[in-house]
Amino acid sequence: VRKIITVNPLPVALISASPIEACQKSPVTFTSRSTGAVKYYWSFGETGQAVDRIGEVVTYAFQTPGIQTAQLVAESAAGCTDTTTIQINVQPTPVLNFQADTVRKICNTVEMAFENLTSYPTGSVQGKLFWDFGNGERFEGFGNIPNQFYTNTD
């Protein structure tokens, strides 16, 4: 008795992610770079609960800061599978806060000084602050915030 056995090749599961370092609750796009696969199953397990997605490209926003893992199972047309993971460094959300004080009043113009009181969780990376003062002026930075002038047009 002679039997022919077909051994199907395994797919090779590969992942790319953008960005690799993300802010908490910000979307990360995951792309399967797998070869020999026709189906893609993703799991994002944080806080003990897996969130499953299907597709070659998926987006997920991690809710928990820290090193988080995304898993991809790539499946071939023959049902063979390969699994891989990628880690994303999720930065905690800062607590935005500022103080505005009147420096002086000249007729109908007020000069205001702004102080950044934003707090950053322990171990987090300080990102960028973009200020829009509502008077047409903008500033990017943390300290040495330029005083702003506001005119009362009443």
Side-chain angles (χ1 to χ4, degrees), residues 7-108:
V7 177
N8 294 303
L10 288 174
V12 177
L14 298 169
I15 302 174
S16 68
S18 179
I20 285 292
E21 187 163 320
C23 295
Q24 183 179 358
K25 300 180 182 178
S26 295
V28 178
T29 300
F30 296 91
T31 304
S32 172
R33 304 284 183 206
S34 305
T35 57
V38 296
K39 293 181 182 176
Y40 311 91
Y41 304 98
W42 300 87
S43 290
F44 305 95
E46 57 178 334
T47 66
Q49 295 181 358
V51 174
D52 296 323
R53 302 272 166 83
I54 298 173
E56 196 168 353
V57 179
V58 298
T59 300
Y60 183 76
F62 290 99
Q63 303 300 304
T64 308
I67 303 298
Q68 299 296 338
T69 302
Q71 177 181 297
L72 168 66
V73 177
E75 184 178 322
S76 70
C80 302
T81 61
D82 187 30
T83 303
T84 191
T85 60
I86 190 170
Q87 291 187 324
I88 304 297
N89 186 6
V90 179
Q91 294 294 325
T93 303
V95 178
L96 299 176
N97 192 11
F98 70 92
Q99 180 175 325
D101 293 312
T102 301
V103 175
R104 62 185 166 156
K105 293 179 184 178
I106 304 171
C107 296
N108 64 341

Side-chain angles (χ1 to χ4, degrees), residues 130-141 146 148:
F130 298 95
W131 297 77
D132 183 338
F133 298 100
N135 62 352
E137 297 293 323
R138 294 183 179 182
F139 174 74
E140 179 181 328
Q148 299 299 307

